[in-house]
Amino acid sequence: MPKDGDVRKKKRGRSGTTYQIYRNPPGVWKTTTGADYTKAKNTFLEQSGGSTSYSQLGAPGAPTTSLRYPEQAAMAAGSDYVLFDFYKYQPPFKGINKGDTKKNSTSLATYNQSATDAAFYKKETQTQKSVVLYMPEDISTGYKANWSGKSFSNIGAAAMSTFGAGDFGQLAAGTIDSVGTALDQLLPNIGVKTVQGIVSKVTGEQLSQNDIYGGTQGVILNPNVELLFGGHDLRNLQLKFKMVPRNAKEAANIKQIINQFRRAMLPSFGSDTKLEGFGGAVQLGGRSIEQSFIQVPNFCKISFMRGGGLNPDVPQYKMCAITQVDINYTPDGTYATYEDGSMVAIELSVAFQESKLIFASEVENY
């Protein structure tokens, strides 16, 4: 059940996206226009995971909390760019689904809270700044479903059919009847087992039932194969950026940007919070219990942006883990530096894995 002030994205089309806000009373969704549209749009972004607002990115040369390449990136309202925000990792089953969240969330919203709820995550501001980069050349996404063929024996197929029909009371009796029928059909199998044993002892060969049936009778057992769904995979994403500094400021930014991603993907030594359940300072080998652990790396929120909002024409992602960072200091095949020692060109490649699955009802947003 929506709450007063909730915002939803109604549709996409040639006319763009419509944002609606829920008002209770009277308990209806109202389409926003003008200033209300802008406010609703920003609220929707916050509800969807939160991104640094366009106005916070700052103008070229102005004080800003973001690092960008090129230095003049994302200055026009229609500019396309990629925004990376870094968040402290939060255990998905810690401090979730409590109070109002538990009462007002759907099952899917509760599942997504540890991936999209801005209130659940704390932005890493002490050591990491937001990063703004140009749109890379290769942007793609994929969805992989796992389907596989499963073979059923006659007994298994009969039991599954009984269960699927909803005759739970008859399942046990039906299975017994199926087993009894199958036993009548097992007499040929006794001969097969005998042949398998003799051949194995004499020659060491391993013959299957179908080998024997096919070679002697011209038949094989009915496999009763059905295609079954086995879930789907978390999405993976890799982005590659070639950065060529045109001045000392850009060279410094590139170094900091690379360090941002390296820092975000690596764990920290020791725990920066008191571990729950240990009841005070516990010493192990002269060290506190916190020093016996390492801190899980940060998460990254990737936002493909257009001006001040999400780009509706490219895929978006839930909170991601950084799985690999590769830096090529000679992308053109030649080692070359400026007078101050900065590289003439650097290629940065970052691989991500999404922290949550995508479901059919979310396709419009991801």
Side-chain angles (χ1 to χ4, degrees):
M1 184 68 184
K3 298 176 294 183
D4 183 56
D6 283 353
V7 176
R8 70 180 182 184
K9 185 163 56 174
K10 181 61 176 176
K11 65 179 181 179
R12 278 185 187 153
R14 295 181 179 178
S15 59
T17 301
T18 298
Y19 293 93
Q20 294 183 328
I21 187 168
Y22 187 76
R23 290 305 183 194
N24 188 21
V28 295
W29 290 94
K30 293 186 177 181
T31 301
T32 58
T33 58
D36 290 337
Y37 171 87
T38 302
K39 183 178 180 180
K41 184 177 182 180
N42 291 334
T43 301
F44 180 81
L45 291 178
E46 294 176 0
Q47 292 178 350
S48 300
S51 295
T52 301
S53 68
Y54 182 63
S55 61
Q56 292 176 317
L57 297 180
T64 177
T65 58
S66 67
L67 296 168
R68 57 165 63 92
Y69 176 84
E71 188 183 3
Q72 305 290 330
M75 288 302 103
S79 298
D80 291 351
Y81 58 97
V82 192
L83 174 63
F84 301 92
D85 288 315
F86 301 94
Y87 292 83
K88 292 183 178 180
Y89 174 82
Q90 297 295 321
F93 300 108
K94 178 182 178 181
I96 191 172
N97 198 23
K98 296 180 179 179
D100 291 340
T101 301
K102 184 175 182 179
K103 290 185 292 185
N104 296 318
S105 292
T106 63
S107 298
L108 181 57
T110 301
Y111 171 76
N112 281 329
Q113 185 184 0
S114 62
T116 59
D117 192 341
F120 185 75
Y121 279 92
K122 296 179 181 178
K123 185 172 284 191
E124 177 61 89
T125 57
Q126 294 182 350
T127 60
Q128 305 219 245
K129 299 179 180 180
S130 298
V131 173
V132 179
L133 295 175
Y134 66 89
M135 293 292 281
E137 294 181 357
D138 184 10
I139 300 176
S140 61
T141 189
Y143 305 83
K144 184 178 184 298
N146 300 315
W147 292 82
S148 61
K150 175 68 176 179
S151 298
F152 297 91
S153 66
N154 287 342
I155 297 175
M160 292 284 283
S161 297
T162 304
F163 185 81
D167 299 328
F168 306 117
Q170 299 297 322
L171 180 60
T175 303
I176 293 174
D177 291 341
S178 298
V179 172
T181 302
L183 288 175
D184 294 336
Q185 301 172 351
L186 286 178
L187 293 179
N189 284 344
I190 297 176
V192 169
K193 293 293 184 182
T194 302
V195 173
Q196 287 177 322
I198 294 174
V199 172
S200 177
K201 289 180 180 180
V202 175
T203 67
E205 295 177 274
Q206 300 297 323
L207 297 179
S208 68
Q209 286 184 327
N210 283 338
D211 290 335
I212 297 173
Y213 281 129
T216 61
Q217 308 296 323
V219 297
I220 63 173
L221 292 172
N222 183 357
N224 293 309
V225 175
E226 298 289 348
L227 184 64
L228 300 179
F229 180 63
H232 59 298
D233 294 347
L234 294 168
R235 291 188 298 176
N236 292 279
L237 170 69
Q238 184 168 8
L239 298 177
K240 186 178 293 185
F241 303 91
K242 184 176 181 180
M243 297 179 284
V244 181
R246 293 166 293 183
N247 51 55
K249 175 64 174 176
E250 284 193 344
N253 281 352
I254 290 172
K255 292 178 183 178
Q256 292 186 65
I257 288 170
I258 291 173
N259 286 337
Q260 290 281 95
F261 286 104
R262 293 196 299 183
R263 186 180 296 111
M265 74 157 292
L266 294 173
S268 301
F269 182 80
S271 174
D272 61 0
T273 58
K274 291 293 182 181
L275 297 177
E276 297 180 2
F278 289 93
V282 179
Q283 298 288 322
L284 288 178
R287 297 188 301 178
S288 66
I289 187 68
E290 285 79 8
Q291 297 303 311
S292 300
F293 298 89
I294 59 175
Q295 192 76 27
V296 175
N298 291 333
F299 267 179
C300 182
K301 184 72 170 73
I302 308 168
S303 302
F304 293 102
M305 306 289 287
R306 175 170 295 162
L310 296 175
N311 188 334
D313 298 312
V314 294
Q316 300 295 337
Y317 288 81
K318 298 179 181 180
M319 203 71 76
C320 293
I322 302 175
T323 58
Q324 187 169 342
V325 175
D326 294 315
I327 305 106
N328 185 355
Y329 294 97
T330 57
D332 298 320
T334 303
Y335 181 83
T337 64
Y338 291 109
E339 293 181 357
D340 63 354
S342 299
M343 294 294 170
V344 170
I346 294 178
E347 186 177 75
L348 171 66
S349 179
V350 187
F352 304 88
Q353 185 168 36
E354 203 166 21
S355 62
K356 294 289 181 178
L357 296 170
I358 304 297
F359 293 90
S361 60
E362 304 177 287
V363 165
E364 185 178 353
N365 296 327
Y366 299 102

